[in-house]
Amino acid sequence: MNIIGFNNIRNADLIKGYTYKGGEVNNLSSEPISKLLPVGNQSGIRFTGTTELPIMVVLYSTFSDNDWPDHIDDGVLFYYGDNKEPGREIHETPGNKIFKETYNNLHLNKKEAIPPIFLFSKGTTGFDRVFKGLLVPGNLKYTEMEDLIAIWKTKENQRFQNYKAVFTLLPTQIISRTWINDIINGNKLSLNAPEEWKQWIEK
């Protein structure tokens, strides 16, 4: 079965479609993504580094939130930002700051400044998480007027804005632990980087 046990995940590769088991304790110490990668154990948008210069980013979704319906369609991910409650401006949350900088860099042709982005979803039980793949911002089917959109929503009789972002799932099947270590050490374009990632950055 395509399952990586909780005790084995710290040095595991990321394999598309594999489930990474959570721990048996009923608290966030059982959350596996933060053991796989040096990111937080909560929120949908997690990162290493700063919001202005993240080293790597993780997007997590249950894909079951009717208010914010993240979904994948033919290799394209539609994902909502992290300003999901009223009371803040759109860029007062760290995830939306990262989105703003990422798409700025995309359309200013500064791809080398864009971090690797990894997508995970909820597994079938407990803290289990499924690796869905390596993402890049934007998609050839969508213009810069369409790939990052500020949308309005009303909740508790208050209006507020959040982002709806478009990402492309690359066909990369395996993210090696050696590349993850290279990213952490500041070398995301190392020889261990997937060819699809390097081609996207360079072309």
Side-chain angles (χ1 to χ4, degrees):
M1 296 181 68
N2 299 335
I3 295 175
I4 306 295
F6 185 70
N7 293 330
N8 298 319
I9 61 177
R10 289 188 183 274
N11 295 310
D13 296 334
L14 300 182
I15 305 175
K16 198 171 186 177
Y18 272 48
T19 295
Y20 293 82
K21 293 292 292 182
E24 297 181 357
V25 181
N26 191 27
N27 59 43
L28 287 172
S29 66
S30 292
E31 199 281 328
I33 296 175
S34 57
K35 315 301 185 297
L36 278 163
L37 299 167
V39 297
N41 58 15
Q42 297 185 76
S43 81
I45 304 171
R46 313 176 190 185
F47 62 98
T48 302
T50 66
T51 55
E52 292 78 18
L53 195 64
I55 296 170
M56 71 172 66
V57 174
V58 165
L59 302 186
Y60 167 72
S61 180
T62 63
F63 290 100
S64 61
D65 186 341
N66 291 328
D67 288 332
W68 305 100
D70 303 331
H71 64 283
I72 298 172
D73 184 7
D74 194 24
V76 180
L77 170 69
F78 300 87
Y79 190 91
Y80 292 87
D82 60 348
N83 194 39
K84 296 183 175 181
E85 299 292 334
R88 293 180 294 189
E89 295 298 318
I90 189 170
H91 295 130
E92 290 183 18
T93 56
N96 278 356
K97 289 179 182 177
I98 288 173
F99 279 14
K100 175 177 178 286
E101 292 299 320
T102 296
Y103 286 82
N104 280 350
N105 287 329
L106 173 66
H107 294 297
L108 293 172
N109 200 28
K110 298 179 180 178
K111 287 184 178 180
E112 70 282 353
I114 295 174
I117 305 169
F118 304 113
L119 176 64
F120 288 83
S121 68
K122 184 176 177 60
T124 55
T125 59
F127 283 101
D128 292 359
R129 301 292 183 256
V130 179
F131 178 58
K132 306 293 284 187
L134 175 63
L135 298 168
V136 291
N139 185 272
L140 292 176
K141 297 178 182 177
Y142 296 87
T143 70
E144 66 175 309
M145 297 178 67
E146 300 170 313
D147 60 15
L148 185 67
I149 301 173
I151 60 171
W152 285 97
K153 192 171 181 66
T154 302
K155 189 173 183 179
E156 299 169 1
N157 292 317
Q158 298 181 66
R159 294 271 284 165
F160 64 103
Q161 283 185 301
N162 194 15
Y163 276 133
K164 180 180 180 180
V166 171
F167 295 87
T168 298
L169 269 164
L170 295 180
T172 306
Q173 294 296 311
I174 298 176
I175 304 298
S176 69
R177 178 56 52 176
T178 50
W179 187 45
I180 293 170
N181 291 334
D182 290 342
I183 297 167
I184 295 168
N185 292 324
N187 189 15
K188 61 190 174 188
L189 282 172
S190 72
L191 294 176
N192 298 308
E195 284 302 315
E196 299 91 346
W197 164 262
K198 289 191 286 189
Q199 289 174 10
W200 182 81
I201 292 288
E202 293 166 359
K203 297 181 181 180

